[in-house]
Amino acid sequence: MSPAIIRRLQSLRYVGYAVIVAAGALAHGSTPAFAVQTQPALAWSFYVRTTNAQTLYNLGYNQGVSDKNNNQSSEVVLDFGVQWSDNAHTELTGGSTLVTYAQVENMAEQFAVGYWAGTGSDTTTVLRLAVGTNNSTGYESTTLGSGWANVAVTIKNWLTSNGYEYYGQENIWGANDIEPSWGGTSSQTNAENWANGYSSNGSSLYVDYGSADGCPSTGYGGCNNGWSQYGEYYVSWGASAAYGLPEIYYSVNASQWTWISTYAKNYRGGAIWFQGPLDDHFLDGNSLTPSGAWTTFWSDMNAAGDNPGMVYSCEIHIAS
């Protein structure tokens, strides 16, 4: 099933939910204003700074046990750093370690295998494993986007052929930490090209777990490095394979992304259905806590008249 068809089916499900919720509120004759949706159990995502596949297996196992115990599915981003121009390597964050796509695939596969083992007899919870890169180099392209989609598809195919998709418990996506402050003044064009290249593969979706640097926290306007709110919308929702799991590190980030969604609603046919917030409180104690990120983002979106529809709560850690 193509990403476009999957998105359409998911959108219809979300719209149905929104209609039910809105109808319940309007039946009382008031403007919709709802209690904050209960935050899902927190799932850890990781900057991968190791080449040890056993470490990734152990982390996947831990997430599987957590999901089984909480009877809840999760979304996990594994950040493998920036793609190299040869479309065959990434450079891990926090240093200069180069790894091959084959190493990336193996480490992600082992995380998924660990998850499968950790869930044990539980066959109802599902891991959405998003295999991530970033746009920090400034040479992102259609070719690199298509290459990264192939990485996600290779992982999915390996899991299927080796029997770890018995109950559809591993849902493999790509991911990209797209930030306007990175990549120079052509970074929006490059990021859009990457999104188009990924989407052209037709076999995998991806999540943008990036930022909205310099974007307005009220109203419409430009962002850092010549980015526009359209660019943010496009790489996190407008491209056919794109979804958004935005960085909500501070309250202003929630406002920025809410206005990007409002832009989409008013000028692109509909609000963005975000996966949820990504916080970094574990790495930066001055940033929003997981519950703070969830509540702030949910409340801002709801106040703007956009039912948040969020299903995941994620926090970034380091795997080393």
Side-chain angles (χ1 to χ4, degrees):
M1 186 177 295
S2 72
I5 294 174
I6 294 171
R7 282 171 58 94
R8 177 60 177 163
L9 292 173
Q10 290 174 326
S11 296
L12 289 172
R13 172 168 56 85
Y14 289 143
V15 168
Y17 171 75
V19 168
I20 291 170
V21 173
L26 293 176
H28 295 283
S30 61
T31 301
F34 314 114
V36 176
Q37 178 184 332
T38 300
Q39 180 188 359
L42 185 68
W44 287 11
S45 292
F46 298 94
Y47 293 117
V48 178
R49 296 178 181 174
T50 180
T51 58
N52 188 333
Q54 183 64 47
T55 298
L56 274 296
Y57 176 94
N58 294 341
L59 293 173
Y61 182 88
N62 293 342
Q63 188 63 54
V65 171
S66 175
D67 283 7
K68 177 181 66 175
N69 292 341
N70 288 296
N71 191 29
Q72 180 174 299
S73 299
S74 61
E75 180 166 65
V76 171
V77 176
L78 298 179
D79 184 317
F80 289 98
V82 67
Q83 288 175 274
W84 217 235
S85 58
D86 63 2
N87 203 18
H89 295 80
T90 70
E91 181 178 321
L92 302 182
T93 64
S96 57
T97 302
L98 287 183
V99 296
T100 65
Y101 282 6
Q103 287 176 289
V104 168
E105 290 158 5
N106 180 53
M107 286 190 280
E109 288 159 4
Q110 290 308 304
F111 187 99
V113 171
Y115 180 90
W116 185 82
T119 57
S121 60
D122 168 26
T123 61
T124 61
T125 57
V126 176
L127 169 67
R128 176 171 294 169
L129 184 60
V131 183
T133 181
N134 67 57
N135 72 320
S136 61
T137 59
Y139 52 68
E140 289 66 37
S141 65
T142 303
T143 300
L144 291 185
S146 178
W148 203 246
N150 286 335
V151 168
V153 172
T154 299
I155 295 166
K156 177 181 178 180
N157 289 344
W158 184 90
L159 290 167
T160 300
S161 64
N162 285 276
Y164 295 105
E165 281 282 79
Y166 288 132
Y167 303 101
Q169 281 193 279
E170 274 82 29
N171 187 355
I172 307 301
W173 287 23
N176 199 334
D177 179 3
I178 300 174
E179 308 202 11
S181 291
W182 292 344
T185 55
S186 63
S187 65
Q188 177 173 324
T189 298
N190 293 345
E192 290 177 13
N193 287 340
W194 187 96
N196 290 335
Y198 193 104
S199 298
S200 69
N201 181 281
S203 300
S204 178
L205 302 171
Y206 81 85
V207 62
D208 170 22
Y209 59 107
S211 62
D213 307 328
C215 294
S217 57
T218 302
Y220 304 118
C223 313
N224 287 1
N225 262 336
W227 273 68
S228 65
Q229 288 167 314
Y230 167 82
E232 290 281 21
Y233 147 78
Y234 190 79
V235 299
S236 62
W237 186 246
S240 63
Y243 279 82
L245 179 77
E247 296 176 0
I248 307 296
Y249 294 173
Y250 301 95
S251 296
V252 65
N253 303 144
S255 300
Q256 289 170 320
W257 281 104
T258 297
W259 273 99
I260 291 165
S261 178
T262 299
Y263 163 84
K265 178 176 65 176
N266 291 336
Y267 297 102
R268 296 293 160 180
I272 299 172
W273 292 92
F274 293 107
Q275 303 287 286
L278 175 71
D279 78 83
D280 76 336
H281 185 73
F282 183 84
L283 302 178
D284 177 7
N286 293 317
S287 65
L288 290 171
T289 63
S291 61
W294 176 269
T295 299
T296 302
F297 195 27
W298 197 99
S299 298
D300 279 10
M301 287 287 290
N302 186 64
D306 300 334
N307 188 280
M310 302 188 304
V311 291
Y312 300 111
S313 177
C314 304
E315 182 175 73
I316 194 73
H317 291 243
I318 294 173
S320 59

